[in-house]
Amino acid sequence: MQQQPTSRRHVLAAAAGTAAAIGVTAPSSPAAAHTARSATPALSGQLSASLTGRHATSAPLAGSTTGASGHASSSAVRARAAALLQRMSLDEKIGQLFVIEVYGQTADTEHDGNRKLYGVPTPAEVIEKYRPGGVIYFDARRGPDNVREPRQIARLSNGLQRAAVRTGARVPLLVSIDQEGGSVVYRMLEPATQLPGNMALAASRSARDVYDSADIIGTELAAVGINQNYAPVADVNINPANPVIGVRSFGSDTTLCSKFVSTAVRGYHRGGVASAAKHFPGHGDTDIDSHSGLPEIKHTRAELDRIDLPPFRAAIRRGVDTIMTAHIVVPSLDPSRVPATMSRPIVTGLLREELGFGGVIATDALDMGGATADFPPDVAPVRAFQAGCDQLVLAPKLEVAFTAVRNAVRSGTITQERLDESVLRILEHKLRRRLFPSPYVSERRAARIVGSRRHRSQARQITERTITLLRNESGALPLPHSPATVLLTGWGTAPLAALARAVGERRGQRTTTLETGTRPNTTKITEATEAARTHDVTIVLANAAAAGKEDGAAQAQLIESLVATGRRVIAVGVRLPYDIRRFPDVPAYLATYNYGTPSMTALARVLYGEVTPRGKLPVPIPTLDPSDRPLYPFGHGLRY
């Protein structure tokens, strides 16, 4: 794609047209234009405060017609979006459909990842070349390395927005992230406030905690210029073997999930970011990971209506901005057995028409195995768009995908009306999120908001209410405060270290840490068992999910060997609560649903009786035998 040369006069003319479309005053002089373009971190005062502050969702659009509630009327938003749409070229419209990743910590960072994917070195040049509708941030684990610390993230967001509003139709970006909370799907690490995650929150049974958690996450994302969070997860996790959802879900009870999904949407909006319920029509009953394969949901339509769809209905009623589709096959909804993302009966027929969702429909990442297996890069985006999706997230080989959509429009495979329909939704979404007239944030404010003392204090209290005690035989817990030697063993170098610090803060507690790995061998098991014989108490962390298909069998052997010493042994499931199925006779067992430092700190307080365990299982735990009879029922939870 060739980029058209622009002059200062053209920039001002385009800015005036865009401003007219959205109902704001454009700069009338070169000096004023320079001021508008320079409204970056330092500007944050009046412009950014109205866009990214804690109460951003109640601020009206600049220059808009508003009702009594202060919100811009739907007709006013639609009129402005339509006016802007008329000024857009075909390529500018197609660009709005794509959500892409960029490599680097600033807009001007040169990175080989950008050269490989897009043929240009910097994130800003990627934006200028493709004029995408959105970007999605990742941490270094995936490669893009976008999120290090608050000032840096805010600076990156501002730089990318500058590139967007200086290019093509001058439309600001949706800056997205997967920050679900918990220790499975998250991108921003400390100093961002770490929250315990959905299943942990459901264990607290506190709608207030769900709301506050989403509010904190949303507030901190908005402060760094991230305006769209791909959360909450709306899947009902009824399959203990689910390898991709698990603790990301609020649990197995449809009513509880529906209530908390709705509450989370409200909390994200309060925090100032758009929300996205995922993964439609429901990814909770599968034992295949859609990142690597194509799961099949065998629920009947009646079962879908009873189990899977209610949380999405609740999110829609609450005003969720976006719904993300799943790469899953649902034969009861579409006998053709194409993934839901590519299914018109599911996306348009069920979600758009039957459920009446009028917001933006986003695909799950199109580079996942569930999408790429049968749909190559020139087919997947066209098929997803034909199905009814609006946003095409992480399409592999963007140049190929972009060209495929353009060719489909030019050939009539995708009509101009259908293209305009999706672009209009995206533009309306951006207008409602108040990205016009300025999408910028204050770097200074970002550093002050992210990880604030108040947020960390709230998170600590929320996390303490999630710890669930399932088994406590012969008074194994709480631990006495008298001097003792404590062995900390099992899975996870970082969780064990965090727990050792928390336990070691207590007077008279001398700790030894012995990490045994995901699949401890005989040597490790023997070493830990011998160490347990010389300690007053052993605390062992279990995470069967980390063991993959082996499913924690070796970890269970370790725990059984420790119990056989006759010493006091406390087992903790630090991810899925189901792990106790493999060692049901352990004297004491707690579930934390999270292995982050805040959860390990809260665990220590519960172990020593400084906090009473209050969590209740948000899922039933079945036995391992084929009968699936309950070992612990939904709602089980002991207290001291």
Side-chain angles (χ1 to χ4, degrees):
M1 293 178 3
Q2 290 186 339
Q3 183 178 340
Q4 297 298 319
T6 57
S7 67
R8 192 178 191 82
R9 183 163 50 88
H10 290 146
V11 169
L12 288 171
T18 300
I22 63 172
V24 299
T25 303
S28 58
S29 67
H34 174 77
T35 300
R37 290 197 304 271
S38 301
T40 52
L43 174 72
S44 71
Q46 293 158 338
L47 291 178
S48 294
S50 67
L51 294 166
T52 61
R54 183 173 180 80
H55 301 285
T57 54
S58 62
L61 289 167
S64 67
T65 302
T66 58
S69 66
H71 289 276
S73 68
S74 296
S75 59
V77 169
R78 178 164 284 266
R80 289 176 177 81
L84 183 56
L85 182 72
Q86 290 178 355
R87 293 167 169 79
M88 297 176 72
S89 68
L90 175 61
D91 279 5
E92 288 165 356
K93 292 177 182 178
I94 293 172
Q96 287 299 303
L97 307 180
F98 287 92
V99 178
I100 67 170
E101 61 184 335
V102 292
Y103 282 71
Q105 297 169 34
T106 73
D108 299 319
T109 300
E110 294 192 7
H111 198 290
D112 286 342
N114 297 319
R115 292 187 181 93
K116 181 179 179 181
L117 289 178
Y118 310 115
V120 293
T122 70
E125 289 172 287
V126 175
I127 301 303
E128 291 163 2
K129 180 177 181 179
Y130 288 100
R131 306 165 196 172
V135 296
I136 179 170
Y137 287 168
F138 290 98
D139 57 11
R141 290 173 297 174
R142 179 178 168 105
D145 197 13
N146 304 132
V147 288
R148 289 288 188 92
E149 52 85 19
R151 288 179 182 270
Q152 170 269 316
I153 303 169
R155 192 176 306 121
L156 172 62
S157 299
N158 287 332
L160 295 178
Q161 294 289 13
R162 277 199 302 276
V165 300
R166 291 179 180 180
T167 304
R170 279 79 181 165
V171 178
L173 293 164
L174 283 172
V175 181
S176 304
I177 200 168
D178 293 295
Q179 189 76 2
E180 297 174 4
S183 51
V184 179
V185 177
Y186 60 92
R187 311 300 178 207
M188 286 174 58
L189 303 172
E190 292 181 342
T193 304
Q194 303 300 302
L195 280 304
N198 287 350
M199 191 172 285
L201 291 167
S204 77
R205 296 297 197 275
S206 170
R208 183 72 211 190
D209 285 351
V210 173
Y211 177 83
D212 287 343
S213 178
D215 183 15
I216 290 168
I217 292 172
T219 299
E220 295 193 358
L221 294 182
V224 297
I226 297 170
N227 47 53
Q228 169 95 42
N229 192 16
Y230 288 132
V233 169
D235 305 309
V236 182
N237 196 81
I238 63 171
N239 190 337
N242 195 325
V244 64
I245 304 301
V247 292
R248 299 168 64 193
S249 164
F250 284 111
S252 64
D253 183 81
T254 297
T255 301
L256 190 68
C257 288
S258 299
K259 175 183 177 182
F260 285 169
V261 164
S262 175
T263 302
V265 168
R266 192 162 55 91
Y268 286 125
H269 288 172
R270 167 69 174 175
V273 297
S275 55
K278 58 187 185 185
H279 309 79
F280 188 84
H283 208 319
D285 188 9
T286 176
D287 56 7
I288 295 175
D289 187 343
S290 53
H291 289 86
S292 55
L294 182 58
E296 178 178 340
I297 303 297
K298 298 180 181 179
H299 291 185
T300 65
R301 176 57 201 264
E303 289 172 327
L304 288 163
D305 281 327
R306 178 170 56 85
I307 299 168
D308 302 282
L309 295 179
F312 293 99
R313 293 181 186 272
I316 292 169
R317 286 194 300 270
R318 181 56 67 183
V320 70
D321 307 270
T322 298
I323 290 181
M324 177 177 282
T325 62
H327 305 322
I328 54 175
V329 170
V330 191
S332 64
L333 294 178
D334 187 347
S336 73
R337 301 182 64 84
V338 298
T341 298
M342 318 294 179
S343 168
R344 184 169 179 82
I346 294 174
V347 177
T348 297
L350 177 57
L351 179 55
R352 187 70 78 195
E353 296 174 354
E354 184 177 335
L355 300 190
F357 179 59
V360 173
I361 300 176
T363 70
D364 205 344
L366 291 174
D367 61 359
M368 291 167 57
T372 60
D374 297 320
F375 297 91
D378 62 332
V379 175
V382 174
R383 287 293 300 272
F385 193 75
Q386 289 176 315
C389 296
D390 303 306
Q391 282 188 322
L392 307 172
V393 180
L394 293 174
K397 298 185 179 180
L398 181 60
E399 182 67 36
V400 172
F402 195 107
T403 301
V405 174
R406 182 203 286 136
N407 290 342
V409 175
R410 287 177 173 171
S411 69
T413 303
I414 295 172
T415 66
Q416 185 69 53
E417 290 76 18
R418 170 70 186 88
L419 175 64
D420 287 352
E421 195 178 284
S422 281
V423 177
L424 193 66
R425 283 195 198 97
I426 293 166
L427 294 174
E428 288 177 1
H429 176 55
K430 293 180 177 184
L431 285 161
R432 291 193 182 96
R433 296 313 309 168
R434 291 148 184 90
L435 298 186
F436 299 97
S438 172
Y440 306 116
V441 295
S442 163
E443 294 173 26
R444 181 179 299 175
R445 181 178 182 275
R448 187 174 70 250
I449 294 296
V450 175
S452 69
R453 181 179 299 178
R454 182 173 62 84
H455 285 176
R456 286 185 283 112
S457 175
Q458 281 183 281
R460 178 182 60 77
Q461 295 172 55
I462 290 170
T463 303
E464 287 175 353
R465 290 189 281 269
T466 67
I467 308 298
T468 307
L469 177 62
L470 276 70
R471 183 174 171 86
N472 189 21
E473 297 299 303
S474 303
L477 289 174
L479 298 176
H481 285 267
S482 55
T485 55
V486 182
L487 174 65
L488 301 164
T489 189
W491 175 86
T493 301
L496 284 168
L499 183 58
R501 286 193 299 271
V503 170
E505 290 174 355
R506 283 147 183 85
R507 180 175 298 180
Q509 306 303 297
R510 292 184 290 125
T511 64
T512 303
T513 301
L514 177 59
E515 204 269 344
T516 55
T518 301
R519 301 180 184 182
N521 57 26
T522 301
T523 301
K524 284 286 188 182
I525 292 174
T526 300
E527 184 182 1
T529 302
E530 291 305 312
R533 296 183 194 280
T534 63
H535 287 74
D536 298 315
V537 59
T538 295
I539 302 169
V540 54
L541 305 187
N543 182 357
K549 292 183 179 180
E550 192 261 5
D551 197 29
Q555 294 180 39
Q557 291 174 14
L558 166 67
I559 293 170
E560 289 172 353
S561 181
L562 294 170
V563 171
T565 64
R567 311 292 286 183
R568 187 188 306 220
V569 176
I570 314 298
V572 184
V574 295
R575 183 169 167 180
L576 294 169
Y578 309 112
D579 290 5
I580 192 174
R581 295 186 299 169
R582 285 196 174 273
F583 41 87
D585 296 326
V586 68
Y589 179 82
L590 302 101
T592 64
Y593 315 93
N594 185 308
Y595 46 80
T597 296
S599 289
M600 295 301 97
T601 302
L603 171 63
R605 298 199 70 201
V606 170
L607 288 171
Y608 285 90
E610 297 157 7
V611 171
T612 297
R614 296 175 57 181
K616 298 179 180 180
L617 279 175
V619 293
I621 297 180
T623 59
L624 277 178
D625 63 54
S627 70
D628 269 353
R629 57 189 173 84
L631 180 64
Y632 293 101
F634 175 90
H636 175 76
L638 305 176
R639 296 196 180 192
Y640 299 148

